[in-house]
């Protein structure tokens, strides 16, 4: 995927499977609203299997760049190559995508839900996952590379304050 940093077009990465709670169906609506607001294109890179793309009714959708199922190394490279990460999920019990965006220093546009806020606090840009206009508006606020980079830089202290792997395991065991 070749990304142009010289245009106002924006490419976000959304690694996930095609489960209904992942909320892929909002993508074309968000891209349409973004185009109307900015005159620029919003593309979302997805990792859906061909049958998932078809079952979601998104085959041939212009706003999607579907790379299919990929490994974790390629996932990290794509996340880094994109302008940011899109995470419109409606419900999660455990997803590493928000933390990965923080680790790879990419802005995260995410559902305004507790499962994201509890982890990311103020280190993400939140939108209502049921409102494509709200999502497009929030993404528009960070259309420029400098704005996205400044947001990420200003929130790096959160990355440093995250618990270590051992601390997370201890906390999990305490819950059990």
């Amino acid at each position: 995927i070749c990304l142009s940093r010289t245009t106002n077009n924006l490419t976000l990465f959304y690694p996930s499977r095609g489960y209904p709670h992942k909320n892929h169906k909002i993508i074309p609506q968000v891209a349409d609203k973004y185009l109307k607001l900015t005159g620029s294109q919003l593309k979302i890179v997805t990792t859906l299997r061909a049958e998932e793309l078809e079952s979601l009714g998104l085959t041939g959708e212009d706003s999607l760049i579907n790379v299919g199922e990929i490994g974790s190394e390629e996932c990290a490279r794509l996340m880094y190559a994109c302008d940011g990460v899109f995470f419109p999920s409606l419900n999660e019990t455990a997803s590493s995508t928000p933390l990965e965006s923080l680790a790879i220093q990419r802005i995260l546009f995410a559902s305004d839900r507790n499962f994201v806020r509890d982890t990311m606090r103020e280190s993400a840009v939140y939108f209502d996952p049921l409102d494509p206009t709200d999502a497009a508006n929030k993404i528009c606020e960070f259309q420029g590379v400098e704005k996205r980079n400044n947001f990420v830089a200003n929130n790096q202290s959160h990355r440093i304050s995250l618990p270590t792997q051992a601390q997370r395991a201890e906390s999990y065991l305490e819950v059990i």
Side-chain angles (χ1 to χ4, degrees), residues 4-10 83 142-151:
S4 173
R5 305 278 184 215
T6 59
T7 69
N8 287 330
N9 294 338
L10 199 62
D83 299 304
F142 294 90
Q143 191 174 8
V145 174
E146 189 174 330
K147 284 184 178 181
R148 291 189 303 275
N149 289 344
N150 285 339
F151 182 88

Side-chain angles (χ1 to χ4, degrees), residues 95-112:
S95 177
S96 61
T97 298
L99 291 173
E100 289 167 346
S101 71
L102 194 61
I104 207 141
Q105 300 183 347
R106 286 294 176 263
I107 192 167
L108 176 70
F109 298 98
S111 296
D112 190 359

